[in-house]
Each structure stands twice: as C-alpha cells, then as structure tokens.
Amino acid sequence: MASSQNVRDLQWVLQMMNSGSLNLHSISFHLSQPTSGFHQETENSVNINISKDSVSYFSRLLSVLGSAKNTSSLRNLEFHDVEWALQHVRDLGEAIKNSSNVKQLVFRRNRFKIECLSELSDIMKKNEVIKEIMLSESSIGSVGAGLIASALKVNGSLEELQIWEDSIGSKGAEELSKMIEVNSTLKLLTIFDFKAITATPLISAVLARNRSMEVHIWSGDNNERSFKVVEFVPENTTLRIYRLDLSGACRVACALGCNSTVRSLDMTGVRLKSRWAKEFRWVLEQNRNLKDVNLSKTCLKDKGIVYVAAGLFKNQSLESLYLDGNCFGGIGVEHLLCPLSRFSSLQNQANVSLKSLTFGGGRTKIGRDGLAAIVQMLTTNQTLTSFGIYDDESLRPDDITKIFKCLERNATLRSLSFTGCKGVDGDLVLQTIMGTLQVNPWIEDIDLAKTPLQISGKAEGVYQRLGQNERTEPDIDLLKDMPMTAPKSCRVFICGQENAGKTTLCSSIHQHFSSRKLPYLNQVRTLVDPVEQAIKSVGINITTFKDEDTKISIWNLAGQHEFYSLHDLMFPGHGSASFFFVTASFFRKPNNREPKTSGEIEQDLLYWLRFIVSNSRRAVQQCMLPNVTVVLTHYDKISQTSENMQVTVNSIQRLRDKFQGYVEFYPTVFTVDARSSASVSKLAHHLLKTSKTVLERVPRVYELCNDLVDILSQWRQENHNKPAMKWKEFGDLCQVKVSYLRIRSRHDNKEKVEMRRRTVAICLHHIGEVIYFDELGFVILDCEWFCGEVLSQLIRLDARKQSSIENKGFISRKELEKILKGSLNSQIPGIGSKVFENLEASDLVKMMLKLELCYQQDPSDPNSLLLIPSILEEGRWRPQRWQINTSDCIYAGRHLECDDSSHMFLTPGFFPRLQARILFLL
C-alpha cells in the first residue's frame, strides 16, 4: 500500500498540473475505485485513482492535461475501467494534440459507445505522433475494429496495435485486413479473440502484401485456456501456424504464392488434407523465397504428398522439407523422391535446391516401392546433404543394409538420421554401416538414437568411426553459411595424341558459335587456314565463349610428350563442371594418306581413357562419372565402305564395354572433318547440350564465387586488361567490393578473413575461372594467356644450354631468374607474351616449384640450389629406357603399376617427381 506521504487528493493534483510543476512521463487513470487519490510511483510516473463519486474530476483532469503548461515530456497514457462519454474522448483528443510527445495509449477494461469509438477514430486519423495503441477487454467488437481500421488506413505513424480479449470476430478481422493492404507503417499486430478464424484474413493480408509486420494472434476455448494460432516474426522470416482450420490454411497458402518475406514455414501439428496440398503445390511452383518448410504431424496422406512432390519439380529455392509423422505410404515416398532422382545418365535431376529431407513415423508404410525409390534417390542425387527417416517400423534390417550400401558412392550427403527406426538392428547392419564409412569419407553424422543398435550399445563403434573421418578440406567450412547456386561455367577438355586435329577442331567449334555474330569469318577462313597449318599449336590452348549466361571454355590439352606432366595439374577436380572429348585421327599424319590401323586408333583412345579414370579416382570429390565423347577426325579422307571402318567401330565398342562403370560414354561416336564448320555442327550442338546437363548435375557453388567472377572481370577492364593480379590486389578488391570478405575493424580476426579469401580463390581455381595456388602470392585471371604463353615456355625451358655451370642439374635461384628473363622476353618488337609486365621472375620460380618443374635441394633453406630436370643431359623429354646389361653391370629395380592396370596407370607426371624425390633421399 502506498505511504501517506505519496497519496494526495485530486484537488492537489489539479493545482499541481495547472502550475506545471509536475514533469511527468507517464500517467495512469484508474476509475471506479473505492477511494480517490493521487499516487506518485516514481519521479516521472503517477497513478490517479478516481471513485464513482468523483467522476467529474476525470473531465477536469483531461481538460487540464490538454491545457497544462508542462506536458511536453508526457509519453504514456493509460486508462483503466473508464466508461467513456463523448466529451471525455474530445478532451482526450485535445490533450493528445497539445502533448506532442505522447507515444502510447493503453485502454484496459474500458467501455466505449459507438460515437465515442467514432470520435477516437477521427483523433487517430489526424494524429501523427502516437506509436502504440493497446485495447484490452474493452468489448469494441467488430464495429470498433472497423472504426480503428478506417483510422489506420489514413494514419501513417502508428507502429503497434494490440487488441486483447475483444471479440472482433471474422467481420472485424476482415476490416483490419483491408487496413493492412493500405497501411505500410504498422510493425506489430497482436490480436486475442475467442474465434481462431480471425487469424485467417489478418495473416493472409500480411503475407499477400509482403508487410514486414510482426503478427501474434491468440485464441481460447471454453475452458478459458488460451493458445496461439499464428505467429510471424519478420526479423527471423519465420511463419509459425499452430492452429488453423482447413479453409484458413488454404487461404494462407494462396497468400504465400507471391510472398517474399517468409523464409521458413512451420505448420507442425496442423491437420491438413490433400485440398491444402493442392494449393501448396502452386506455392512451391511460384514462390522463390521459401527456404524451409516443416509439415511434420500434419496427417498428410499419399494424395497430399503427390501434390507436394509435383511442386518440387518446378521449385528451385526450397532447401529443407520435413514430413515426418504423416500417414503416407510407398506411393507417396516414390512420388516425393522422384524430383530428387535421376533414372538415366542423360536425364537431369529435376530439383537441385533441396538440401534436407525427412519423413517416416509409425503410420508411414514405406514398403517395397518406397525402398526402391529411396535407393534410387540416394544413388543418383547430387544435392541432398541431410536425409532422415524417423520412427519407422516398416523397414527391415536387410532394407537398411541396402540403403547404406547405395551410399558408398554418394559424395554429397553429410548427415543421416534413422532415429527410432526398428530395422536398424543386427550385426549385418552394423558391418554395412562401418563398410560404408570406410569407403565414403563425406558422411559426417549418423543419428541412431532410439534404434535397437543404439539401445544394445553397438552404435558406439559407428560414432567412434565418424570421429575418425576427418575432413580433407577443413577450411571450406569457413563459408558454410554462404548461399549456394548452380555454377555458370563449364570446361570441355579435348584430349588426343599429336596431330589428332584438336586445334583445328577447337577453331571450327568456336567459329560455329561465333558465326551468327561474325558472319565474315567464313570469308577470312581461307586466309587463316594456311597460317594455322604452318604454325603447330604448342602447349595447352583455351578457347572461351558464352551462350546466354553460361560460360563454356574449351581446353585443348597438348599432345606433345613433353607436356604430359602438365595434364595432371590441369585435370578438373572437386566436383567442377567438366567433360571430355577424346579425339583420334584416322591417319598417322595429317598431310598423307597413310591410315591408322584399328589397333592404333584403339591405343590412342585407350591412353586417354586410362588417364581420365586414373585422375578421376585421384580427385578429392568424384560426384559423378567422367562424361566422355569419342571424336574421330579426318573423316573426309576415308571411304565409308572401308573394312577398316567397321573394325574401328568394333574396337571402340570393346573400349565402351571395358570402361563401363568407370566413365559415362555418350552413345554416338562423332566422325568429323575438323576443318569444316558444317561438319562439326552436330558436335558443337552436343557440346552445348552436354554443358547444360553437366552444370545441372554437379554440386552447387557459393554465390559469392559467381559474383566474384563479374567483379574480377570489371577489375581487368579498369586495369588495362591485366591477366594477373597480386594477392594484395585481390585482398584490396575483396575489402572494397565483397562485404563478406571484408575486415571490418582492427579487432577482427584477420587470419580468419584471410583464410576465407583463400578458400574462395581455391574454389574459383577448381571451377576453372582462375589459376591460383596457395602461398604463391598472385592470382591468374587469364587462364588462356597463362597456359599458352607462360606454362608452355616453362615446360620447354632449355636451361642446360643457358647455364654457365656444369651439367649436374643444380642451379642458383638468381641464375634461374636470369635464364627466365632471357628466354621469355620476346626478341621481336611488338610480339611476345609480355610475361614480365605482369609477373616477376621470382614469381615464375615459385610457380615452377609448385608445379614441380624444379626442386629445392634443401626445402628448409629458401636460398638453396634448385634442381631442374631439364638440365640433365640424359632423357630430356624422352621416356627412360633400361640400358643393356653388361658382364660388369646389372640393373635392378621395381616395376610400379596400379592394382587395376587395365583401367588406370601411373600418369607421366608421376615419374619425374618420384625420381627427384629418390634423388634427394640418396
């Protein structure tokens, strides 16, 4: 109870307010009290109690409040148990008008007549400072809700509206929904109504108009228990629906179709039917912003799941879908997993955005068809990272074994959950799980909680094994919260022996795609061809063009023996978008009529097929089999009736059978005249279509990488088309242009930001957009320039002739830099690579060390001598052979080969590195 010192009579209050001696922030009026009085709670807040006998003081206090001299600091007004008369409302309006800083009005257990509500509505239309209005247990009804709604259609300042325990009904809710369609300033709407149906029009209006408005709608039952119906919090972009009837849920689904504010939809426990799922299918097809959907325990059956699955075929944004605890069976599972699966090597996966999926439950009967769909999806899906089956009782142990068996080649799945599944039982299941983890290093987490395997204590071995599965690329997690997208660039590697016509083929393909933009190329062709025939291509050449927003680059791998060591370094890895054209010529030399035998053609193709398989197995992530197309050149010089032609076809078929399961062959063998644009038109069309297919099948990349490609291109334009940039320049560009890679203050973890930048650069390297090796200090932006003008000269560098020391193989770093400057600088004015305008000689030495074109005598000493194998007199660019044994000298050694030598071999780049390491050991 308040002390006597703080309680004053109402007459004293009037005097003090008239004099302006009270500096009040908050005033609370309490009418219908047993006694009247004034209670000062704090220095700036008071409670004024007015009994029924002193109601006249209420009007006088409101009048004084409106004319008081010192009300500029007043912020909050509260009214409890007030029966409003029209004059009272007018006096309140004057008070608010003169007190320009009043932000909050609260009405608790008040009573309003229609004319009073109308007057209050007029006040709200004109007021521009009030931010919050709360009406609690004031029985304003649908009429009052309508009058408030009409005021807020005009008002542009109110940010919060709360109506508690007032039966505004569906009619009042509809009026408020019309207000929401017009009003864009309201930030918080809280409604409590005994009819849950009031939630439907309100939340629908918020969603349909994309309002950033926080919404909380409550309801109650006959037992006077309250429960939440709908909640939408724009800060975390989550819409949570707790209770809603079917028609209301359908209306909300319709509003979500074009919504851009909701990222997460949670309808756990709401009873839904196929009618709602039919509406939600349209949401999945149209909405581009919805990321997470939780439909657990919603009573959906097969028909409803079929509608959801149909929506997934066109959806390209949803990342998580939770369907556990529903009532569908094998038919539903089969339809659900269809857009996430491929059924042939030429088919694209329909949905590539979904990352997490769960289903199951005691009432879900997966059955034989459902199991087959699960196996097919896990075998072919290349995007799902999390998959769960919960509380299943229909799958048996041998079914669980099949599921884990098919995961051996899945390179994308990271998390698995079989929580509560009865079939996860027995030693066979345990052995299969352990065997899968032995082969598949990408699985990071398996949840076996509440399974018989976990209850019996046998799951501990699985968890131990998962702890040993260390990441091969730990730094990639630095960007795990970054959004992903489909890559926009694809590489085509043209492989073939020397004189296979690869360069001419690249030129014709490029001309085919450029002819629409450059029609005069056919006229210039006769002038270009003699030059092309006179100059033999050297090194790895790259041709790039764009088709709409897709960048396609053709990498012509050198056929000369001395460049074989580079092929390993340029091989695509880490799931990058690429495929191969393996070429072979019908003739031994392009300028004569001496045809190859079918055996020679088969050997040419066999080398490159073994090379592709060997390096694919070595790649960090093999998300799909290498895609290979066979191309036979100089077809114009042979007769179609030649017997050798049919023998060649049979030999290629043998190769297909031999490499089945190792590479993915395109069924058609292309026979072309590489000089003719018309002859390669079908091959060019196949290249374009295959690029699109591969881009849709490979793992997604960070959106940041696609953005950086454009940023780096713009940087080149602004810097005179420079083909390379220093690492510091790359860091400065990130600091200015890329907020996620920006150091924001001196207290930031600079090492972490630097690691993020390096991770992004490595990702760009893997997808073929740049060439970047860690610790070299520069980024190559023009891959064509670097491969054609730098690497080709480094490979062919004849340091032996230019070295002033004895030919023992070792040379100082400074002398090597001098040799590089003399060799790479052009002697012809106006012609040359201009290497040293973009790179230092020391940079090239670092690159040679990284590519293992030279070796340090002592890696711990940066100034130690360098070993350059090309200085050695014997075996330069030629395969090593055993010398003939003599009586006084016998050669002994080991023959190294792969376990599967018929499909793989130790590539030519392996042996120089092995010899150098053995030399240092000796």
Side-chain angles (χ1 to χ4, degrees):
M1 180 176 291
S3 64
S4 58
Q5 289 84 353
N6 288 336
V7 177
R8 307 294 180 92
D9 59 25
L10 297 181
Q11 187 62 41
W12 181 89
V13 174
L14 284 171
Q15 292 175 1
M16 296 302 291
M17 292 180 67
N18 269 320
S19 65
S21 59
L22 291 176
N23 184 23
L24 298 177
H25 293 174
S26 178
I27 301 177
S28 181
F29 293 94
H30 296 259
L31 273 68
S32 303
Q33 298 301 304
T35 60
S36 297
F38 170 85
H39 172 223
Q40 188 163 354
E41 289 187 321
T42 66
E43 182 181 351
N44 302 113
S45 62
V46 298
N47 285 343
I48 300 177
N49 297 326
I50 302 174
S51 65
K52 292 182 179 180
D53 299 332
S54 306
V55 175
S56 60
Y57 273 97
F58 181 54
S59 297
R60 295 167 64 185
L61 285 168
L62 289 177
S63 300
V64 170
L65 192 62
S67 60
K69 299 177 181 180
N70 192 15
T71 58
S72 59
S73 61
L74 192 60
R75 301 287 187 273
N76 306 318
L77 286 175
E78 291 192 20
F79 301 94
H80 299 255
D81 301 299
V82 178
E83 291 190 15
W84 289 89
L86 185 58
Q87 187 57 46
H88 292 162
V89 179
R90 289 172 179 168
D91 292 337
L92 175 62
E94 286 297 318
I96 295 172
K97 181 179 179 181
N98 294 330
S99 303
S100 58
N101 289 318
V102 174
K103 304 299 181 184
Q104 184 184 56
L105 290 179
V106 178
F107 302 93
R108 298 183 188 273
R109 296 181 300 278
N110 285 232
R111 293 294 178 267
F112 293 95
K113 299 177 181 177
I114 299 297
E115 59 268 22
C116 294
L117 287 171
S118 179
E119 184 66 26
L120 183 61
S121 174
D122 292 337
I123 294 171
M124 291 168 60
K125 289 178 181 178
K126 300 174 184 177
N127 189 278
E128 297 180 354
V129 294
I130 294 178
K131 300 297 182 183
E132 304 174 25
I133 292 180
M134 176 179 177
L135 291 153
S136 176
E137 301 177 69
S138 297
S139 302
I140 63 171
S142 59
V143 175
L147 290 169
I148 292 173
S150 66
L152 295 185
K153 288 179 181 179
V154 178
N155 182 284
S157 62
L158 193 72
E159 296 181 355
E160 296 185 16
L161 174 63
Q162 300 185 46
I163 303 177
W164 286 90
E165 299 185 52
D166 285 277
S167 297
I168 63 173
S170 59
K171 185 177 179 181
E174 292 289 353
E175 293 298 324
L176 287 174
S177 70
K178 295 175 184 177
M179 174 272 296
I180 292 170
E181 294 180 2
V182 178
N183 186 300
S184 61
T185 58
L186 201 61
K187 302 301 180 186
L188 173 65
L189 177 64
T190 304
I191 303 291
F192 181 96
D193 196 279
F194 284 105
K195 294 182 179 179
I197 195 173
T198 56
T200 302
L202 295 173
I203 192 62
S204 298
V206 170
L207 298 176
R209 298 297 294 177
N210 290 314
R211 299 301 186 205
S212 296
M213 181 189 303
E214 186 175 346
V215 180
H216 301 273
I217 301 177
W218 296 75
S219 187
D221 55 22
N222 295 329
N223 297 324
E224 297 184 355
R225 293 179 300 180
S226 61
F227 54 86
K228 184 167 276 191
V229 181
V230 170
E231 175 184 84
F232 174 56
V233 182
E235 282 74 15
N236 58 22
T237 64
T238 299
L239 172 61
R240 177 72 169 93
I241 298 177
Y242 298 88
R243 293 192 185 186
L244 214 57
D245 61 13
L246 181 60
S247 61
C250 290
R251 185 170 173 178
V252 170
C254 291
L256 278 172
C258 297
N259 178 269
S260 61
T261 58
V262 177
R263 298 289 186 275
S264 178
L265 171 65
D266 189 349
M267 300 187 71
T268 302
V270 179
R271 295 179 65 89
L272 301 173
K273 294 184 178 180
S274 58
R275 175 184 158 194
W276 176 88
K278 187 176 182 180
E279 297 290 345
F280 191 65
R281 170 189 175 176
W282 181 80
V283 175
L284 292 174
E285 292 179 352
Q286 300 295 321
N287 191 293
R288 295 292 179 267
N289 298 280
L290 200 60
K291 301 297 182 184
D292 306 295
V293 172
N294 192 335
L295 302 178
S296 301
K297 302 175 183 177
T298 52
C299 303
L300 285 175
K301 298 182 180 178
D302 283 330
K303 187 176 181 180
I305 296 299
V306 169
Y307 281 123
V308 173
L312 290 177
F313 273 98
K314 292 186 178 181
N315 182 278
Q316 295 300 328
S317 63
L318 192 68
E319 296 179 357
S320 302
L321 178 61
Y322 305 99
L323 292 167
D324 47 285
N326 286 287
C327 312
F328 55 93
I331 295 175
V333 173
E334 192 174 5
H335 281 80
L336 178 65
L337 301 184
C338 186
L340 304 173
S341 308
R342 290 189 301 120
F343 299 92
S344 74
S345 59
L346 298 179
Q347 180 199 356
N348 296 326
Q349 184 178 311
N351 184 294
V352 295
S353 65
L354 198 67
K355 296 292 182 291
S356 180
L357 175 67
T358 64
F359 56 82
R363 302 178 65 184
T364 298
K365 306 298 180 185
I366 294 176
R368 183 179 300 176
D369 293 337
L371 175 64
I374 293 172
V375 171
Q376 181 70 23
M377 186 274 291
L378 292 176
T379 304
T380 61
N381 182 277
Q382 296 167 353
T383 55
L384 212 63
T385 60
S386 178
F387 177 66
I389 302 175
Y390 294 163
D391 301 312
D392 176 78
E393 298 179 0
S394 61
L395 294 175
R396 297 169 297 178
D398 56 334
D399 299 330
I400 301 295
T401 300
K402 290 179 182 178
I403 291 175
F404 274 98
K405 273 286 186 184
C406 72
L407 286 172
E408 291 183 353
R409 297 193 62 173
N410 187 303
T412 56
L413 207 62
R414 298 291 182 267
S415 177
L416 275 170
S417 178
F418 290 91
T419 302
C421 292
K422 303 300 182 185
V424 184
D425 188 18
D427 292 336
L428 181 60
V429 171
L430 178 60
Q431 292 172 10
T432 305
I433 295 175
M434 298 297 285
T436 300
L437 293 178
Q438 184 73 26
V439 177
N440 187 327
W442 308 111
I443 298 176
E444 299 169 359
D445 180 58
I446 299 177
D447 189 355
L448 302 176
K450 302 178 183 178
T451 63
L453 206 64
Q454 189 264 344
I455 294 171
S456 63
K458 296 180 179 180
E460 290 302 318
V462 176
Y463 297 141
Q464 259 187 350
R465 177 66 190 175
L466 285 169
Q468 295 171 3
N469 274 1
E470 297 180 357
R471 290 175 174 269
T472 57
E473 295 177 293
D475 56 336
I476 206 70
D477 275 350
L478 294 169
L479 300 177
K480 63 182 179 181
D481 56 336
M482 289 295 295
M484 308 289 282
T485 186
K488 294 183 179 179
S489 59
C490 183
R491 286 185 286 178
V492 187
F493 289 86
I494 298 187
C495 314
Q497 305 299 92
E498 192 172 3
N499 297 319
K502 301 185 296 298
T503 302
T504 308
L505 184 64
C506 289
S507 177
S508 297
I509 291 174
H510 185 261
Q511 180 181 341
H512 172 82
F513 289 112
S514 305
S515 59
R516 289 169 291 181
K517 298 179 181 179
L518 304 172
Y520 59 85
L521 280 181
N522 287 328
Q523 303 171 18
V524 181
R525 180 175 177 78
T526 56
L527 299 176
V528 176
D529 279 350
V531 179
E532 290 180 348
Q533 293 170 7
I535 301 176
K536 184 179 178 181
S537 63
V538 178
I540 298 174
N541 297 322
I542 304 173
T543 304
T544 303
F545 61 94
K546 295 201 73 173
D547 177 68
E548 296 176 350
D549 62 341
T550 301
K551 176 183 174 183
I552 301 175
S553 56
I554 305 175
W555 292 57
N556 176 9
L557 297 184
Q560 295 90 342
H561 187 274
E562 59 265 35
F563 290 97
Y564 281 10
S565 60
L566 271 188
H567 295 161
D568 291 1
L569 302 167
M570 295 303 162
F571 193 86
H574 301 266
S576 63
S578 59
F579 58 98
F580 300 86
F581 283 179
V582 179
T583 63
S585 172
F586 281 107
F587 294 86
R588 292 193 176 98
K589 294 184 179 179
N591 294 326
N592 63 25
R593 296 275 179 171
E594 185 179 1
K596 290 182 181 177
T597 65
S598 61
E600 289 175 317
I601 294 176
E602 184 176 353
Q603 286 302 313
D604 289 350
L605 298 176
L606 180 61
Y607 170 85
W608 289 103
L609 290 173
R610 293 175 70 199
F611 173 82
I612 291 169
V613 172
S614 301
N615 283 281
S616 296
R617 292 299 178 90
R618 183 173 59 86
V620 175
Q621 179 181 358
Q622 185 182 7
C623 61
M624 62 181 185
L625 293 178
N627 188 296
V628 172
T629 298
V630 176
V631 182
L632 301 180
T633 60
H634 298 101
Y635 180 66
D636 56 304
K637 298 179 182 179
I638 69 168
S639 171
Q640 297 184 8
T641 59
S642 170
E643 295 180 0
N644 191 44
M645 182 66 178
Q646 184 58 46
V647 177
T648 301
V649 171
N650 293 338
S651 66
I652 293 175
Q653 185 58 48
R654 286 196 302 271
L655 288 176
R656 282 181 176 166
D657 296 339
K658 181 177 181 178
F659 284 87
Q660 185 70 32
Y662 292 87
V663 299
E664 183 177 328
F665 276 101
Y666 186 68
T668 301
V669 175
F670 289 89
T671 54
V672 299
D673 173 12
R675 300 170 300 171
S676 168
S677 179
S679 178
V680 302
S681 60
K682 290 184 179 179
L683 181 63
H685 179 74
H686 165 68
L687 181 149
L688 192 62
K689 293 298 182 184
T690 306
S691 299
K692 302 288 187 184
T693 301
V694 168
L695 284 171
E696 293 175 353
R697 287 170 55 183
V698 296
R700 292 154 72 84
V701 299
Y702 299 110
E703 278 186 2
L704 182 61
C705 291
N706 284 343
D707 296 339
L708 261 175
V709 171
D710 298 331
I711 293 172
L712 291 173
S713 177
Q714 183 181 357
W715 183 90
R716 288 196 64 192
Q717 293 176 8
E718 296 170 354
N719 290 272
H720 310 290
N721 209 29
K722 286 181 64 176
M725 69 189 310
K726 299 291 185 183
W727 181 251
K728 184 181 183 304
E729 293 176 316
F730 183 81
D732 294 342
L733 187 67
C734 292
Q735 185 71 18
V736 175
K737 298 285 188 179
V738 188
S739 60
Y740 194 78
L741 302 178
R742 182 177 299 151
I743 299 173
R744 301 185 181 278
S745 74
R746 66 176 183 223
H747 302 294
D748 274 2
N749 188 339
K750 295 182 180 180
E751 290 77 14
K752 185 174 181 179
V753 176
E754 183 71 8
M755 185 61 72
R756 282 177 176 169
R757 292 173 179 175
R758 294 188 183 279
T759 302
V760 171
I762 291 170
C763 184
L764 290 172
H765 173 90
H766 290 329
I767 64 178
E769 288 292 347
V770 302
I771 294 177
Y772 169 76
F773 294 104
D774 204 2
E775 300 176 357
L776 290 191
F778 57 87
V779 180
I780 303 299
L781 306 179
D782 190 340
C783 301
E784 183 176 0
W785 167 81
F786 187 72
C787 291
E789 299 189 20
V790 181
L791 281 186
S792 61
Q793 297 192 61
L794 292 180
I795 287 288
R796 300 175 75 105
L797 180 67
D798 193 352
R800 177 170 52 90
K801 293 181 179 180
Q802 303 180 54
S803 176
S804 61
I805 62 174
E806 296 181 1
N807 295 329
K808 295 181 180 179
F810 290 96
I811 190 173
S812 70
R813 188 180 293 255
K814 287 185 178 180
E815 190 166 359
L816 177 57
E817 291 178 8
K818 182 179 178 181
I819 293 172
L820 289 172
K821 290 178 180 178
S823 299
L824 273 65
N825 272 328
S826 175
Q827 303 300 319
I828 304 175
I831 299 179
S833 61
K834 300 181 180 179
V835 173
F836 294 106
E837 293 181 11
N838 300 284
L839 297 173
E840 301 290 337
S842 58
D843 292 335
L844 294 178
V845 173
K846 292 179 182 178
M847 177 61 75
M848 291 180 69
L849 286 167
K850 187 68 178 180
L851 298 180
E852 298 191 61
L853 300 177
C854 67
Y855 302 86
Q856 280 184 297
Q857 187 179 36
D858 182 5
S860 63
D861 181 9
N863 297 316
S864 68
L865 294 177
L866 303 175
L867 170 68
I868 304 179
S870 64
I871 293 180
L872 300 177
E873 297 213 7
E874 295 181 358
R876 174 169 163 79
W877 299 349
R878 294 188 297 274
Q880 296 288 328
R881 298 180 180 275
W882 290 106
Q883 299 183 22
I884 300 174
N885 289 337
T886 63
S887 58
D888 59 342
C889 183
I890 299 175
Y891 294 90
R894 291 183 178 272
H895 178 69
L896 301 178
E897 65 178 14
C898 298
D899 289 338
D900 185 6
S901 58
S902 62
H903 297 100
M904 294 182 289
F905 63 89
L906 298 172
T907 55
F910 169 82
F911 292 100
R913 298 164 194 162
L914 176 63
Q915 289 173 332
R917 297 184 189 281
I918 292 176
L919 177 62
F920 284 122
L921 289 174
L922 296 177

